[in-house]
Amino acid sequence: MTTAVHPVDETLPLGRLTALGLQHVLVMYAGAVAVPLIVGRALNLPPEQVALLISADLFVCGLVTLIQAWGATQWFGIKLPVMMGVTFAAVAPMVSMAQTTGGQAGAGLIFGAVIGAGVISILIAPMMSRMLRFFPPVVTGTIIAVIGISLMRVGINWIFGNPVGPTAPSVPNPEHLKWLAEAQAAAGAPGSSLAPVPKGFAIVPTIPNPKYADLTGVGISGIVLLTILLVARFGKGFWANISVLLGIAVGGVLTAAMGLMNFDKVGKAQWFDIVLPFQIAMPVFDPILILTMTLVMIVVMIESTGMFLALGEMTDKEISQEDLKRGLRTDGLGTLIGGIFNTFPYTSFSQNVGLVAVTGVKSRWVCVAGGVILIILGVLPKMAALVESLPTVVLGGAGLVMFGMVAATGIRILSKVDFQHNRNNAMIVAVSIGVGMIPLVAPNFRQWMPHSIHPLIESGILLSSLAAVALNVFFNGAKHDARAAIEAAKQAEAH
């Protein structure tokens, strides 16, 4: 007599396992590499270190996917078909940290915050599995919508040029810069009677920058966007699922043909290299930044809880409280590992959860195969160098779709909220989104507030999250409704 194997634990032939695992990797690949590109460039890291970020991110994606899908001891791994990737929820706070402190110093602060948040997340995972009542769809939908809206700014800046730096709408007059340099030199000369240049003195940009919103770059972004739309409209199944990746590939080929893509870094990169801890910067632990990242992880783990429950329904496997604890601990462990390897916070990728529903393949070993493929990609530096070499205009066309889909996911979740019979829900969404827009519309609103709390309030995502939770408790109380969380998670396939 043989014991029936649950579809989640079913092992498939190696060829099919590899093909299905590769499909999961392709579906998540564009989202996985977007975050290291955003944060690396916000930190103004050199291209070689941005490529290192990409390699480390893919490597850790694979490693944490193995822990989550395969399982590691009785403490970690929910043992479901889950692909783990870096969460977009942490991007806005990390970009804000990078803009405050750039370079390796800023990188160290980010990695320290990630490590600290990872440790705390492991410790609070059992408690988080019971906090669904504070995050009904009206709250999670609002938070995800604000995440998407906040990230749209990144995609738009990729298309037209960043709002600061060499592609700013205006640049300083070279004659003025020359005068300032001469004045600084003269003031610093021995015996000079000239007063030194005041600290922070700078030339105001007054000359329009011809590189900003260059029509060639805008056209390339438009072609990438059009390709994605055409594939999404006419492609079927697997091809529609990788429309963003195909759009980026078309943009890469086009810019290479136009001579706008430089392959020198790809040629110099090694074929194989081991990903090691702390390759970019040693962590620096700032309590406020750790608190900021921990709040992000609380939101991430609540979303993961709903996702795990939804996945349990899709695979016909009952998810116990202990299963949830193991899955959420792995979110924390993945974030801790991410900080050690100089990457970012990790969570389950819901587009891959959606792929489980589309394909009907419930085996967790497919995701184990996907994790192995990601680890292999992570130790191939040439692949990371190729991604880093992509012009930002190519990523801009794709970013418009990726980040817009995050916002659309929030709207989709909100569409299931009862606004007709509970008018207070509209008040919760309205005020929370308004609060979340403050740092985007008025970034200097915090200038008279204590500097120590700036990292905590300069993220619209965190402000919106706190407002949504507080307002929901105020208007609706904290009703336990796991069914609503599951339905919201099912709506989040694009996030």
Side-chain angles (χ1 to χ4, degrees):
M1 182 177 177
T2 58
T3 305
V5 177
H6 194 281
V8 167
D9 300 314
E10 182 184 2
T11 55
L12 305 175
L14 183 60
R16 188 170 179 228
L17 198 66
T18 303
L20 290 169
L22 181 61
Q23 177 174 268
H24 270 287
V25 170
L26 291 175
V27 165
M28 68 173 290
Y29 189 82
V33 300
V35 177
L37 281 170
I38 295 169
V39 178
R41 288 172 177 171
L43 285 165
N44 292 318
L45 295 176
E48 302 78 30
Q49 291 192 334
V50 176
L52 266 179
L53 268 182
I54 296 169
S55 289
D57 179 45
L58 292 172
F59 178 83
V60 176
C61 278
L63 184 59
V64 183
T65 296
L66 289 182
I67 295 171
Q68 190 71 281
W70 196 342
T73 74
Q74 73 269 33
W75 301 102
F76 301 101
I78 198 167
K79 297 183 181 179
L80 287 174
V82 175
M83 295 294 291
M84 301 292 286
V86 61
T87 173
F88 278 123
V91 171
M94 289 191 295
V95 168
S96 179
M97 295 175 197
Q99 290 171 344
T100 303
T101 308
Q104 287 190 317
L109 286 169
I110 290 175
F111 302 141
V114 171
I115 290 173
V119 173
I120 294 172
S121 299
I122 293 172
L123 296 176
I124 66 173
M127 180 180 68
M128 292 307 303
S129 64
R130 302 187 187 94
M131 287 187 65
L132 264 180
R133 67 186 63 191
F134 296 106
F135 291 83
V138 69
V139 173
T140 56
T142 301
I143 293 170
I144 293 173
V146 171
I147 290 171
I149 294 168
S150 300
L151 291 174
M152 286 293 286
R153 179 175 56 176
V154 175
I156 292 169
N157 287 337
W158 275 348
I159 296 172
F160 299 116
N162 293 321
V164 294
T167 56
S170 298
V171 294
N173 188 318
E175 295 180 2
H176 297 173
L177 291 174
K178 181 182 177 183
W179 174 86
L180 179 60
E182 292 174 350
Q184 286 177 314
S192 173
S193 59
L194 294 174
V197 176
K199 184 179 181 181
F201 184 85
I203 302 296
V204 175
T206 55
I207 300 177
N209 187 348
K211 293 182 180 180
Y212 185 79
D214 174 61
L215 292 182
T216 301
V218 174
I220 292 168
S221 293
I223 290 171
V224 172
L225 177 59
L226 181 62
T227 301
I228 295 170
L229 296 176
L230 289 173
V231 174
R233 171 64 178 84
F234 298 107
K236 302 296 181 184
F238 168 69
W239 296 106
N241 285 332
I242 63 167
S243 58
V244 172
L245 190 63
L246 291 175
I248 292 174
V250 168
V253 171
L254 179 61
T255 51
M258 296 172 66
L260 300 176
M261 190 170 170
N262 191 319
F263 294 95
D264 290 347
K265 289 169 284 189
V266 181
K268 293 176 182 176
Q270 300 178 38
W271 281 104
F272 177 85
D273 194 17
I274 298 295
V275 177
L276 299 172
F278 309 122
Q279 281 186 288
I280 295 172
M282 294 299 293
V284 178
F285 300 101
D286 182 291
I288 295 294
L289 298 185
I290 291 173
L291 176 60
T292 302
M293 200 61 69
T294 301
L295 290 174
V296 170
M297 285 304 298
I298 289 173
V299 175
V300 165
M301 288 195 289
I302 290 296
E303 187 183 341
S304 291
T305 301
M307 202 66 61
F308 294 148
L309 293 173
L311 194 54
E313 279 208 346
M314 291 178 193
T315 57
D316 300 315
K317 184 171 184 180
E318 184 179 349
I319 305 299
S320 67
Q321 198 77 26
E322 287 302 315
D323 292 329
L324 284 179
K325 290 178 184 177
R326 287 199 303 271
L328 295 178
R329 278 197 200 100
T330 307
D331 277 6
L333 178 64
T335 299
L336 172 60
I337 294 172
I340 291 171
F341 280 93
N342 282 176
T343 62
F344 314 110
Y346 288 85
T347 186
S348 55
F349 259 32
S350 52
Q351 57 261 54
N352 293 87
V353 173
L355 189 60
V356 172
V358 170
T359 64
V361 178
K362 303 174 182 178
S363 173
R364 62 190 171 102
W365 298 106
V366 169
C367 291
V368 170
V372 173
I373 293 170
L374 284 168
I375 289 174
I376 293 171
L377 290 173
V379 296
L380 299 176
K382 280 192 183 295
M383 179 66 73
L386 181 64
V387 173
E388 196 282 327
S389 298
L390 284 168
T392 54
V393 290
V394 173
L395 299 169
L400 210 61
V401 176
M402 285 191 296
F403 307 144
M405 287 299 287
V406 176
T409 298
I411 295 169
R412 192 185 308 153
I413 294 172
L414 290 173
S415 70
K416 302 296 182 181
V417 173
D418 180 11
F419 292 107
Q420 185 174 358
H421 299 100
N422 186 347
R423 295 175 60 188
N424 291 330
N425 283 334
M427 185 71 73
I428 294 168
V429 175
V431 175
S432 300
I433 290 179
V435 170
M437 292 300 97
I438 290 174
L440 294 180
V441 178
N444 294 325
F445 79 100
R446 61 189 187 276
Q447 65 180 5
W448 301 116
M449 300 180 188
H451 187 76
S452 59
I453 68 168
H454 283 195
L456 199 60
I457 61 175
E458 60 196 3
S459 167
I461 296 169
L462 292 178
L463 291 179
S464 180
S465 301
L466 295 173
V469 171
L471 288 171
N472 178 66
V473 171
F474 176 71
F475 284 115
N476 298 330
K479 303 171 185 175
H480 184 71
D481 188 0
R483 169 58 47 188
I486 293 172
E487 291 303 317
K490 286 182 176 178
Q491 294 292 321
E493 292 176 8
H495 176 43

